[in-house]
Amino acid sequence: MQASFVSERNLDALLDPAGAAWRNVPRTELGLTGTPLGLQPTAAIKASWADKKIGAIDRVDVAALNDGQRLLFRLEWRDPTESRKITDNNVFVDGAAILFPTVPDAPLVLMGAKGAPVNVWYWRADEDAGNHIVAEGFGTTRIVDRDRVRTRAAWNDGRWQVVIARDLRVDSPEPVANVQPGAPAQFSIAVWDGANSERAGIKAFSPVWTDLTIEPAQR
Amino acid sequence: MSSPKRQIAMVMDLNKCIGCQTCTIACKRLWTRDEGMDYMWWNCVNTMPGRGTPRDWETMGGGFTAGDARPSRIPTRGDFGDAWEFNHEEVFFGGKGSSAHLQIKGEQPDWGPNWDEDQGAGEYPNAYYFYLPRICNHCTHPACLEACPRKAIEKREEDGIVLLNEDRCRGYRFCMEACPYKKLYFNETRKISQKCIFCFPRVEKGVAPACARQCPGRVRFVGYRDDQNGPIWKLVDKYRVAIPLHPEFGTEPNVFYVPPMSPPRFDENGEIDESRPRIPDEYLVSLFGPRALEALGTIKSEVAKVRGGGKSELLDLLIAYEWKSMFGGFDRDPATIEWTKG
Ligand code: SF4
Ligand code: SF4
């Protein structure tokens, strides 16, 4: 997949999932699968999900852009229920994330491993700020900051449209992904369906790293 | 999880609980007054038989069957009885004290934290009920801890208190589903789960938990399980009159109950009928397992002994002539301590 270069530099315009910048950007459909039951980290989670479908969302349309400074993804998927707010103890919200390996071949299915972290740009429907996360295996996610990942989302007619963005390169002591135009990169997508009580490792994800080329600036 | 060096525990004598909710309010005022905690009652006292708090928690599942995690569900705010809002401003500050009466604002609820209080069961003149106070059991095999994928719940090495680390918690609520006693609460404002902390900041300073120390009925004993001079070891291990609630849930609670004795029954002629207890044995066994009857047998024979002029260490202990003897050394007066916040 390619993150084409755009000359639009206005972040507000780029974050708008319905904005002009995205209009003619080609979309790639990625198939999603539920995280396998056997890999769920605790016996209680396995027991309670044994007869339930993990990963209610099975496909997502992905487009990507870069403006020379930032990398932006636009995700769109069908979800008949908009789960925006936690209104009760048993209510969960929709979410989505872009995952990057921070070392070659970091294990995707297990959300990284010790010494092989994955970097996650995470959007959840009840928060405006995106979360910038590092994980080294299930249950180890930690938020490294809340201001670098920018998100905007809209739900219309049973479809989520979400833009998730971050600077191509960030200065951080944490093992986060830095990408650059011209160099190869990889990513994966995860989607949580709140209406299916999805949270943590109960999610759908694209099960192999997808190659991404970031188009260098054209002048 | 490694097992703790020592385990602190509580015994509640159900023969003495008067359902006054002083424990409930002691805990509420101390720990659950912040935002998002309005509906939380880390300590609750329900009338039994009854549906309990949260409603029908006993049949919700969770815990373990033969060591295997048993599925359950997450109790809703409505199941807990939510937090009602009253027209306080109007009645107390709005100048309408003599015309308006205190009432719940908005939609009228059909359930509350103590909705079936004093209802009980049985037919007049043999109706029966008793009170069941509940806190987190600080289990030896905590289902909450084992369910959490983030290891946000820990069992303290030094005293076995089960604590939820609010910085690690991401509000996934697997713990709420797994705990068979339904003693975790979700804080919607902070998006984390919260639960009874066994008043660890007090315990660390030698002060008994608030719910125990404030109890006017002298219902609650506190101490280390292995302290042979303390009340817990004597009631749980030596005399075996204090037993866990729903031992079949498989979490090995460290809160134990002295089961309630029954008042006598009346027969059709209004005569006292000693042939069977007013609280059906099967009901007590359904709550505490078969050991409930052994425990009641022990208490009855000790009572007979004392009636015959004998002495009973067990009854002296249960009566708690000396208040401080109930706290297994955790008897320091909190007013003598300078507490700092934060
Ligand atoms: S009673 Fe529930 S919350 Fe408390 S330790 Fe046991 S399983 Fe955990
Ligand atoms: S031990 Fe403390 S925190 Fe727990 S229920 Fe009692 S008063 Fe509340």
Side-chain angles (χ1 to χ4, degrees):
Chain A
M1 216 183 102
Q2 165 150 300
S4 312
F5 176 80
V6 274
S7 49
E8 172 67 72
R9 295 295 306 268
N10 182 305
L11 182 60
D12 239 19
L14 290 169
L15 281 175
D16 179 0
W22 294 101
R23 207 151 293 154
N24 297 314
V25 184
R27 299 177 184 181
T28 305
E29 184 185 274
L30 290 183
L32 306 181
T33 91
T35 311
L37 184 74
L39 291 180
Q40 295 300 329
T42 71
I45 298 178
K46 285 185 187 137
S48 87
W49 284 84
D51 305 321
K52 288 184 256 183
K53 178 162 173 59
I54 298 175
I57 308 299
D58 60 5
R59 69 197 62 216
V60 57
D61 285 333
V62 190
L65 288 175
N66 86 87
D67 65 359
Q69 184 202 338
R70 311 178 188 95
L71 177 60
L72 304 102
F73 288 84
R74 182 188 184 280
L75 311 179
E76 178 166 342
W77 68 94
R78 214 182 78 79
D79 180 354
T81 42
E82 180 190 21
S83 308
R84 269 244 184 222
K85 216 173 133 18
I86 302 173
T87 51
D88 207 336
N89 296 337
N90 58 353
V91 173
F92 296 87
V93 293
D94 297 324
I98 324 284
L99 289 71
F100 299 88
T102 64
V103 297
D105 299 322
L108 165 63
V109 183
L110 296 167
M111 291 284 286
K114 214 154 180 74
V118 296
N119 180 205
V120 183
W121 305 359
Y122 172 60
W123 161 84
R124 54 183 279 169
D126 62 343
E127 286 177 13
D128 291 330
N131 287 320
H132 198 204
I133 291 173
V134 164
E136 294 181 282
F138 275 153
T140 66
T141 58
R142 62 176 195 279
I143 297 172
V144 298
D145 59 70
R146 285 182 193 270
D147 50 6
R148 285 202 174 102
V149 174
R150 306 292 304 268
T151 64
R152 188 154 322 149
W155 183 90
N156 289 310
D157 297 332
R159 295 184 78 79
W160 272 115
Q161 300 173 339
V162 180
V163 175
I164 302 179
R166 201 207 69 180
D167 279 359
L168 290 159
R169 304 191 62 82
V170 296
D171 244 342
S172 170
E174 298 284 352
V176 298
N178 279 323
V179 287
Q180 53 185 325
Q186 291 187 312
F187 72 96
S188 165
I189 304 286
V191 179
W192 288 263
D193 180 16
N196 191 38
S197 299
E198 294 185 9
R199 72 281 199 193
I202 306 293
K203 62 170 194 281
F205 72 117
S206 60
V208 287
W209 294 117
T210 300
D211 290 324
L212 180 73
T213 353
I214 300 160
E215 188 187 18
Q218 299 151 356
R219 25 197 110 227
Chain B
M1 184 189 75
S2 59
S3 39
K5 289 202 187 77
R6 292 192 96 178
Q7 177 68 55
I8 199 164
M10 196 181 282
V11 167
M12 305 192 197
D13 182 355
L14 298 184
N15 293 291
K16 297 166 82 179
C17 181
I18 56 171
C20 67
Q21 309 282 357
T22 307
C23 47
T24 308
I25 299 302
C27 182
K28 184 84 203 159
R29 292 199 57 89
L30 198 49
W31 301 119
T32 60
R33 296 173 71 191
D34 287 342
E35 248 199 295
M37 301 177 104
D38 50 355
Y39 81 106
M40 296 186 195
W41 300 99
W42 292 354
N43 182 102
C44 59
V45 184
N46 292 133
T47 299
M48 303 297 281
R51 297 174 73 181
T53 305
R55 177 172 48 195
D56 301 329
W57 66 271
E58 292 175 86
T59 53
M60 269 185 205
F64 308 93
T65 305
D68 291 333
R70 191 167 61 127
S72 176
R73 68 179 176 88
I74 298 172
T76 63
R77 286 179 70 101
D79 288 333
F80 280 106
D82 218 327
W84 307 336
E85 280 185 51
F86 293 84
N87 59 337
H88 287 132
E89 315 78 36
E90 189 184 19
V91 174
F92 296 126
F93 311 110
K96 291 206 190 141
S98 50
S99 54
H101 61 94
L102 193 65
Q103 54 186 318
I104 296 166
K105 290 206 269 192
E107 212 184 302
Q108 296 305 294
D110 61 1
W111 184 252
N114 236 357
W115 196 263
D116 52 6
E117 184 162 65
D118 291 0
Q119 211 166 289
E123 290 287 324
Y124 175 85
N126 290 314
Y128 62 91
Y129 68 75
F130 58 91
Y131 298 110
L132 180 70
R134 297 202 303 123
I135 65 173
C136 161
N137 293 302
H138 298 274
C139 303
T140 292
H141 190 186
C144 56
L145 179 154
E146 290 171 32
C148 177
R150 292 188 58 78
K151 300 193 171 52
I153 301 181
E154 42 204 290
K155 187 159 176 70
R156 298 214 301 187
E157 175 82 10
E158 62 270 39
D159 52 20
I161 293 176
V162 175
L163 283 187
L164 190 146
N165 180 335
E166 299 187 346
D167 296 328
R168 287 204 61 76
C169 179
R170 283 288 148 73
Y172 295 154
R173 292 163 265 171
F174 295 115
C175 55
M176 292 181 78
E177 185 171 341
C179 170
Y181 297 94
K182 298 304 173 209
K183 269 298 170 190
L184 292 114
Y185 299 80
F186 182 66
N187 184 321
E188 257 174 49
T189 309
R190 299 186 51 208
K191 298 181 196 169
I192 53 169
S193 297
Q194 294 180 308
K195 65 179 279 299
C196 157
I197 57 176
F198 209 84
C199 290
F200 77 88
R202 291 166 65 103
V203 164
E204 284 171 1
K205 291 202 155 59
V207 182
C211 54
R213 194 176 160 105
Q214 296 298 316
C215 174
R218 303 195 181 185
V219 168
R220 301 188 184 211
F221 300 82
V222 176
Y224 288 117
R225 276 213 60 184
D226 62 358
D227 174 6
Q228 300 207 355
N229 299 312
I232 305 293
W233 181 82
K234 286 180 184 160
L235 295 169
V236 173
D237 296 288
K238 183 175 180 189
Y239 293 106
R240 296 167 58 85
V241 294
I243 50 185
L245 175 61
H246 287 303
E248 76 281 9
F249 289 171
T251 64
E252 297 176 47
N254 288 299
V255 172
F256 302 86
Y257 294 91
V258 179
M261 293 187 289
S262 286
R265 281 179 61 88
F266 295 106
D267 66 17
E268 308 80 72
N269 309 317
E271 303 293 331
I272 287 178
D273 170 12
E274 303 263 20
S275 66
R276 62 201 161 102
R278 196 186 290 198
I279 305 175
D281 283 347
E282 318 78 77
Y283 181 60
L284 291 180
V285 169
S286 77
L287 291 178
F288 302 104
R291 284 191 51 204
L293 305 183
E294 288 167 41
L296 287 177
T298 304
I299 296 171
K300 273 184 210 142
S301 64
E302 292 288 304
V303 168
K305 197 162 92 187
V306 171
R307 285 206 175 120
K311 274 197 161 314
S312 165
E313 184 197 30
L314 173 60
L315 290 195
D316 285 356
L317 185 60
L318 287 173
I319 291 165
Y321 287 109
E322 218 215 313
W323 180 54
K324 283 192 169 187
S325 72
M326 300 183 71
F327 300 139
F330 293 90
D331 56 9
R332 195 160 157 207
D333 178 355
T336 65
I337 296 170
E338 210 174 304
W339 301 92
T340 49
K341 211 183 163 188

